[in-house]
Amino acid sequence: MEDKLAKHKGAPDVNNLVAEYRRSLDEGLSLTSIRDAEDTRFARWSGQADDGKKWSHNLPEGTQAFPFDGASDCRVYLADQVISDCVDMLSVAHQRAELRVNPVDLTDTEPSAAASTLMGWVRSTMHNDLQRECELLANYVGTYGWGVMFVGWDQQATLRNKPISLDQLMAVAQQSDPGSLLAELPMIVTDPNRADQASELLMQFFPDIKKRRANKIIKELREDGSAVIPEAYLCRNRPAVVALKPHEEVTVPPETINLQDARVVFRRQYMTEVELRSKVLTDNWSKEFVEEALHTAGKSLNYLDQTTLTGLVSEFNRGDNLVEIVWAYTRQLDGNGVPSIYYTVFCPLMQSVDGAQKFALHEMLDYAHNEYPFVLFRREHVARRLVECRGIPAIVKTWQGEIKAQRDSIYDSTSFETLPPLQVSKRLGLANKIGPGVQLPVTKPGDYAWLQPPARPPQTAF
């Protein structure tokens, strides 16, 4: 069978990427493993009550609470306790770790010292982000068995007001080529009969402003000799590390053994409209793609209920204004057989147009090391496939259930022994209530008697 992802063909096959994205979640039973791990760690099950007791009205119709209404339904957080202890240990180890570049020979002494200083500075400036993401990664590894750290670059754009004056325009015009529009700009601005031409020129030099704002700036320059122009600039431009949750924020085909050898790696992120539109400026995303992707806000692929027989994309509403965006990193061969990594940004819910789905960006990842921008962390190596790593909940699930069963038994037994059921003569019915100091009228001995609980050795439960 031909692997459609193996060869680079210029334009990406986004429909095939969407199909592979769905397969990486379906065949790996990813959502099932996530749900089981989280239910065990956070002690969740159907029919729970806030008071930690069993009540029939919380159970499916026709189901009675066992052994009685109000019986113990305690929550044991064994998995959560073990994971939290491991996270604390790893977080402290990260805080106390020292970054150091050791020289290979005497000629490397000075460069290694400079590299150590640089890495120390980067780490100090990213301290809060590193601490947060490392702790989150430790939780992911402990809960699901593996986790991924994305290493990339964070760019964010914003606007600032830039003062401009006629004197500055004249200085620029004097340095430009004679006869060019830029050389004539001060003359055009000051000429009331050429206001429209001045606005058009201003919008060419400053694409972030619109016609109305351009007219206002021209008027201020003509009357006051100065104005303020909104200018876009990068307010953040630095390295970024992000911990990714398995199967939700990052996923790979189920046959993957080594992350760096994976056919494709998917990273999912939910983005706001502001984030999407800013990507047009900072990352050269397709403006047309962004406009169409905004129509899918609040929706996601519903992998638990897919219409796989028809091949249609099933979706559900999350009820928010976020857009689901996926990065697909694929290792492919170019026309000369040279392997390279290409990445494609797409929205899995956008409908196909003429058989080909639109995408925001498709480029070659030009890292010198030719590796994916991800670092894999595994909790164990008991199997080759990545998806077979076990989290702590999968190991302690039965132990946690055993402790819960014992505690529930002790609680229920104590309830019976403290206030056992009362045998009441049938002719008395429920006319009287039991309580401290309550006087119960009787006509003969034996009208009221405590029901004796079953005998239980003191070490039945522990």
Side-chain angles (χ1 to χ4, degrees), residues 163-175:
I164 188 173
S165 64
L166 276 176
D167 293 338
Q168 291 176 328
L169 291 180
M170 291 180 180
V172 173
Q174 291 174 358
Q175 298 177 1

Side-chain angles (χ1 to χ4, degrees), residues 26 28 35 45 57 89 94-95 97 113 132-133 149 151 166 239 250 259 268 301 330 333 348 353 374 404 408 433 451:
D26 283 344
R35 184 174 57 246
W45 53 84
H57 63 265
M89 179 181 62
H94 171 259
Q95 288 179 350
R132 179 187 65 248
E133 297 303 320
M149 185 72 84
V151 182
L166 276 176
V250 62
L259 184 67
R268 177 168 64 176
L301 289 182
T330 312
L333 298 172
V353 179
F374 304 100
K404 170 179 167 52
D408 285 341
K433 294 183 178 181
L451 180 67

Side-chain angles (χ1 to χ4, degrees), residues 187-376:
M187 184 185 305
I188 297 175
V189 169
T190 55
D191 188 352
N193 297 323
R194 305 175 71 179
D196 291 339
Q197 184 182 5
S199 299
E200 294 295 335
L201 284 176
L202 198 64
M203 288 188 291
Q204 290 181 16
F205 296 129
F206 301 96
D208 299 317
I209 62 177
K210 303 299 182 183
K211 179 71 173 179
R212 185 176 179 181
R213 184 67 180 272
N215 291 334
K216 182 180 178 182
I217 293 173
I218 295 299
K219 182 179 178 181
E220 292 176 351
L221 286 172
R222 189 181 300 122
E223 295 178 355
D224 304 330
S226 63
V228 175
I229 294 180
E231 179 186 43
Y233 77 102
L234 290 176
C235 62
R236 179 179 295 179
N237 192 18
R238 66 178 188 180
V241 291
V242 182
L244 302 180
K245 181 178 179 180
H247 310 308
E248 287 194 8
E249 297 173 326
V250 62
T251 185
V252 294
E255 67 273 9
T256 301
I257 296 175
N258 182 12
L259 184 67
Q260 292 300 330
D261 295 331
R263 296 169 51 248
V264 58
V265 180
F266 296 101
R267 180 195 174 194
R268 177 168 64 176
Q269 183 178 355
Y270 293 103
M271 306 181 69
T272 65
E273 180 177 350
V274 174
E275 290 175 320
L276 276 176
R277 294 191 183 278
S278 66
K279 288 293 184 181
V280 177
L281 177 63
T282 59
D283 293 1
N284 296 321
W285 282 19
S286 167
K287 188 175 182 180
E288 182 182 1
F289 167 86
V290 170
E291 295 297 335
E292 292 192 23
L294 289 173
H295 294 301
T296 68
K299 299 178 181 179
S300 288
L301 289 182
N302 184 4
Y303 295 104
L304 292 178
D305 184 23
Q306 293 184 13
T307 53
T308 54
L309 295 179
T310 60
L312 299 176
V313 177
S314 178
E315 62 183 55
F316 69 99
N317 292 318
R318 298 189 313 273
D320 55 32
N321 293 311
L322 302 180
V323 179
E324 181 182 7
I325 300 295
V326 176
W327 281 257
Y329 295 83
T330 312
R331 192 178 295 276
Q332 297 178 327
L333 298 172
D334 67 2
N336 297 321
V338 179
S340 300
I341 296 177
Y342 297 85
Y343 70 99
T344 306
V345 183
F346 63 93
C347 175
L349 287 176
M350 286 179 57
Q351 299 297 320
S352 298
V353 179
D354 298 330
Q357 205 169 27
K358 294 183 178 180
F359 54 90
L361 187 68
H362 176 71
E363 290 182 349
M364 184 180 73
L365 198 65
D366 55 350
Y367 288 158
H369 50 63
N370 195 33
E371 293 185 351
Y372 292 122
F374 304 100
V375 180
L376 172 66

Side-chain angles (χ1 to χ4, degrees), residues 392-448:
I392 291 175
I395 298 174
V396 306
K397 182 176 182 178
T398 56
W399 305 343
Q400 184 168 298
E402 178 185 356
I403 297 174
K404 170 179 167 52
Q406 297 287 352
R407 290 186 180 178
D408 285 341
S409 299
I410 294 174
Y411 184 102
D412 294 342
S413 177
T414 302
S415 299
F416 272 107
E417 293 174 359
T418 303
L419 187 64
L422 189 67
Q423 291 178 325
V424 182
S425 176
K426 196 172 183 177
R427 57 187 170 77
L428 296 177
L430 300 176
N432 302 303
K433 294 183 178 181
I434 301 298
V438 173
Q439 296 182 358
L440 299 175
V442 297
T443 56
K444 63 179 182 178
D447 280 349
Y448 295 94

